[in-house]
Short mmCIF file of all heavy atoms in Angstrom, two decimals:
data_model
loop_
_atom_site.label_atom_id
_atom_site.label_comp_id
_atom_site.label_asym_id
_atom_site.label_seq_id
_atom_site.Cartn_x
_atom_site.Cartn_y
_atom_site.Cartn_z
N HIS A 20 -3.24 9.02 -1.77
CA HIS A 20 -2.61 7.71 -1.57
C HIS A 20 -3.64 6.70 -1.08
O HIS A 20 -3.67 5.55 -1.54
CB HIS A 20 -1.45 7.83 -0.58
CG HIS A 20 -0.51 8.95 -0.91
ND1 HIS A 20 0.10 9.05 -2.14
CD2 HIS A 20 -0.11 10.03 -0.20
CE1 HIS A 20 0.84 10.15 -2.16
NE2 HIS A 20 0.73 10.76 -1.00
N VAL A 264 4.00 2.49 -4.15
CA VAL A 264 4.89 3.08 -3.14
C VAL A 264 6.30 3.19 -3.71
O VAL A 264 6.99 4.21 -3.55
CB VAL A 264 4.88 2.22 -1.84
CG1 VAL A 264 5.97 2.65 -0.88
CG2 VAL A 264 3.50 2.30 -1.17
N LYS A 267 6.46 6.22 -5.87
CA LYS A 267 6.26 7.51 -5.22
C LYS A 267 7.41 7.90 -4.30
O LYS A 267 7.68 9.09 -4.10
CB LYS A 267 4.95 7.50 -4.42
CG LYS A 267 3.72 7.56 -5.31
CD LYS A 267 3.61 8.95 -5.93
CE LYS A 267 2.57 8.98 -7.02
NZ LYS A 267 2.53 10.27 -7.73
N LEU A 268 8.08 6.90 -3.70
CA LEU A 268 9.18 7.24 -2.78
C LEU A 268 10.23 8.12 -3.45
O LEU A 268 10.63 9.14 -2.87
CB LEU A 268 9.82 5.96 -2.22
CG LEU A 268 9.02 5.22 -1.14
CD1 LEU A 268 9.65 3.84 -0.84
CD2 LEU A 268 8.94 6.04 0.16
N GLU A 270 9.88 10.23 -5.65
CA GLU A 270 9.34 11.58 -5.86
C GLU A 270 9.34 12.39 -4.56
O GLU A 270 8.91 13.54 -4.53
CB GLU A 270 7.90 11.51 -6.39
CG GLU A 270 7.78 10.94 -7.79
CD GLU A 270 6.31 10.82 -8.23
OE1 GLU A 270 5.43 11.48 -7.63
OE2 GLU A 270 6.07 10.05 -9.17
N GLY A 271 9.74 11.74 -3.46
CA GLY A 271 9.82 12.45 -2.19
C GLY A 271 8.61 12.26 -1.29
O GLY A 271 8.50 12.92 -0.25
N VAL A 272 7.69 11.38 -1.66
CA VAL A 272 6.54 11.12 -0.77
C VAL A 272 7.03 10.25 0.39
O VAL A 272 7.63 9.19 0.16
CB VAL A 272 5.41 10.38 -1.52
CG1 VAL A 272 4.23 10.11 -0.58
CG2 VAL A 272 4.96 11.18 -2.74
N PRO A 273 6.84 10.69 1.63
CA PRO A 273 7.31 9.89 2.76
C PRO A 273 6.57 8.55 2.83
O PRO A 273 5.37 8.49 2.56
CB PRO A 273 6.97 10.75 3.99
CG PRO A 273 6.62 12.10 3.48
CD PRO A 273 6.18 11.93 2.06
N LEU A 274 7.29 7.51 3.24
CA LEU A 274 6.69 6.18 3.30
C LEU A 274 5.41 6.18 4.13
O LEU A 274 4.37 5.63 3.72
CB LEU A 274 7.69 5.18 3.88
CG LEU A 274 7.18 3.74 3.95
CD1 LEU A 274 7.05 3.13 2.57
CD2 LEU A 274 8.10 2.88 4.84
N ASN A 275 5.48 6.83 5.28
CA ASN A 275 4.32 6.77 6.19
C ASN A 275 3.07 7.43 5.60
O ASN A 275 1.95 7.03 5.93
CB ASN A 275 4.69 7.44 7.52
CG ASN A 275 3.58 7.31 8.54
OD1 ASN A 275 3.15 6.20 8.82
ND2 ASN A 275 3.09 8.43 9.04
N ALA A 276 3.26 8.42 4.73
CA ALA A 276 2.10 9.07 4.11
C ALA A 276 1.29 8.06 3.30
O ALA A 276 0.09 8.24 3.09
CB ALA A 276 2.56 10.22 3.21
N MET A 277 1.96 7.00 2.87
CA MET A 277 1.27 5.98 2.08
C MET A 277 0.89 4.77 2.93
O MET A 277 -0.23 4.25 2.81
CB MET A 277 2.16 5.55 0.91
CG MET A 277 2.43 6.74 -0.05
SD MET A 277 3.50 6.32 -1.44
CE MET A 277 5.13 6.51 -0.70
N THR A 278 1.80 4.34 3.79
CA THR A 278 1.51 3.11 4.54
C THR A 278 0.49 3.31 5.66
O THR A 278 -0.13 2.36 6.12
CB THR A 278 2.80 2.50 5.14
OG1 THR A 278 3.44 3.50 5.94
CG2 THR A 278 3.73 2.03 4.05
N ALA A 302 7.84 3.30 9.89
CA ALA A 302 7.57 4.00 8.63
C ALA A 302 7.75 5.51 8.75
O ALA A 302 7.90 6.20 7.74
CB ALA A 302 6.16 3.67 8.13
N THR A 303 7.72 6.03 9.99
CA THR A 303 7.87 7.47 10.15
C THR A 303 9.34 7.89 10.25
O THR A 303 9.65 9.07 10.26
CB THR A 303 7.16 7.95 11.45
OG1 THR A 303 7.59 7.10 12.50
CG2 THR A 303 5.66 7.90 11.32
N LYS A 304 10.24 6.91 10.33
CA LYS A 304 11.66 7.26 10.47
C LYS A 304 12.18 7.94 9.21
O LYS A 304 11.74 7.60 8.10
CB LYS A 304 12.48 6.01 10.79
CG LYS A 304 12.21 5.49 12.18
CD LYS A 304 13.10 4.31 12.51
CE LYS A 304 12.79 3.81 13.92
NZ LYS A 304 13.19 2.42 14.13
N ALA A 307 12.86 6.27 5.65
CA ALA A 307 12.27 4.93 5.63
C ALA A 307 11.90 4.55 4.19
O ALA A 307 11.30 5.34 3.47
CB ALA A 307 11.02 4.90 6.51
#
Side-chain angles (χ1 to χ4, degrees):
H20 311 305
V264 170
K267 287 289 169 186
L268 285 170
E270 292 177 19
V272 180
L274 181 70
N275 185 55
M277 297 179 276
T278 55
T303 49
K304 290 184 180 157

